[in-house]
Amino acid sequence: MVLNMREYTDRFKDLNISIYYNGPLWDDGIKGIAEMVKTSLASDDLSSGASKAIFSVFVEQTTNMIMHSAEKELYTQLDTEEVSTGMLALGHKGNTYFIQTGNAIKSSSAEYVKQKIDHLNTLDKKELRQYQKEKMRSENDNPDSKGAGLGLIEIARRVTAPIEYTLEPIDENMTYFTLYVEIAQEVKE
């Protein structure tokens, strides 16, 4: 079956999506996408602060997907046989960039993720900075997490609107987690 790729291209263009990826995620693979993001941001003539914020959030979101995806694919040609899977989209609406990611997580983590994001959305920038300092000194409170639990805090500090998300049950073991963030920026003059 031949897909109508022009239809997809037109749809992404209508949604102002400049980068879209769906599939396996591993560190070296993401480096290539990260280079595309850097190049895309550089060509958009953004302030360095805006570019850094967008790129930092992109890195945090993709890192979170690599570390926490409950769906794994086998890739024997890589150093590891199990590779996380997920999707990401980067685009803009006027002077606001958006990054959306999606991946399956363990259903046992869904309530923790919900509570964490809901809490982060109640904090202002100063409170987020203080909360991040406290978390850096404390132990990770998520038993399913492989990291320090700071990624969502870093994202919340850099975005310019509340974090949006959905948690959709797939089955009793997995939940599909979609994360959407926006970063407003100033274009260089």
Side-chain angles (χ1 to χ4, degrees):
M1 172 173 106
V2 176
L3 298 175
N4 184 339
M5 296 307 286
R6 182 172 177 205
E7 182 179 316
Y8 288 104
T9 302
D10 290 346
R11 182 73 176 132
F12 286 156
K13 188 175 180 179
D14 290 345
L15 295 170
N16 292 312
I17 294 173
S18 55
I19 296 173
Y20 175 83
Y21 177 79
N22 183 34
L25 304 163
W26 64 92
D27 290 333
D28 286 342
I30 291 299
K31 286 178 185 174
I33 297 172
E35 285 302 314
M36 280 193 306
V37 170
K38 274 186 186 178
T39 302
S40 177
L41 294 173
S43 70
D44 286 348
D45 200 28
L46 305 172
S47 69
S48 68
S51 280
K52 286 177 186 175
I54 295 163
F55 188 74
S56 177
V57 169
F58 166 81
V59 168
E60 288 294 341
Q61 283 185 252
T62 54
T63 300
N64 282 343
M65 288 192 304
I66 289 170
M67 292 179 68
H68 303 292
S69 177
E71 285 185 317
K72 306 289 183 187
E73 293 184 10
L74 291 179
Y75 282 86
T76 54
Q77 68 271 29
L78 299 174
D79 291 337
T80 179
E81 290 190 10
E82 285 194 340
V83 176
S84 297
T85 62
M87 65 75 55
L88 62 91
L90 180 133
H92 63 88
K93 299 182 292 187
N95 285 337
T96 300
Y97 275 73
F98 62 86
I99 303 169
Q100 184 166 327
T101 55
N103 62 282
I105 61 172
K106 292 179 181 177
S107 291
S108 60
S109 297
E111 185 59 29
Y112 174 84
V113 169
K114 177 187 181 329
Q115 289 177 3
K116 179 108 176 180
I117 294 172
D118 289 348
H119 175 68
L120 293 173
N121 280 340
T122 67
L123 304 176
D124 64 24
K125 296 300 180 189
K126 185 177 178 182
E127 292 168 329
L128 283 165
R129 196 169 29 258
Q130 182 61 35
Y131 184 62
Q132 185 177 40
K133 287 178 185 177
E134 291 170 14
K135 284 297 190 183
M136 288 173 72
R137 291 185 212 115
S138 67
E139 290 191 31
N140 187 2
D141 57 352
N142 181 2
D144 291 328
S145 177
K146 298 172 189 153
L150 299 172
L152 284 173
I153 300 170
E154 185 63 26
I155 290 169
R157 288 189 61 205
R158 294 189 179 269
V159 299
T160 53
I163 296 171
E164 296 180 46
Y165 67 95
T166 61
L167 293 161
E168 301 171 58
I170 297 171
D171 58 33
E172 63 186 39
N173 297 317
M174 290 195 291
T175 297
Y176 199 82
F177 173 48
T178 302
L179 184 69
Y180 175 89
V181 297
E182 293 182 347
I183 303 166
Q185 39 62 46
E186 299 172 17
V187 177
K188 292 182 200 172
E189 295 184 3

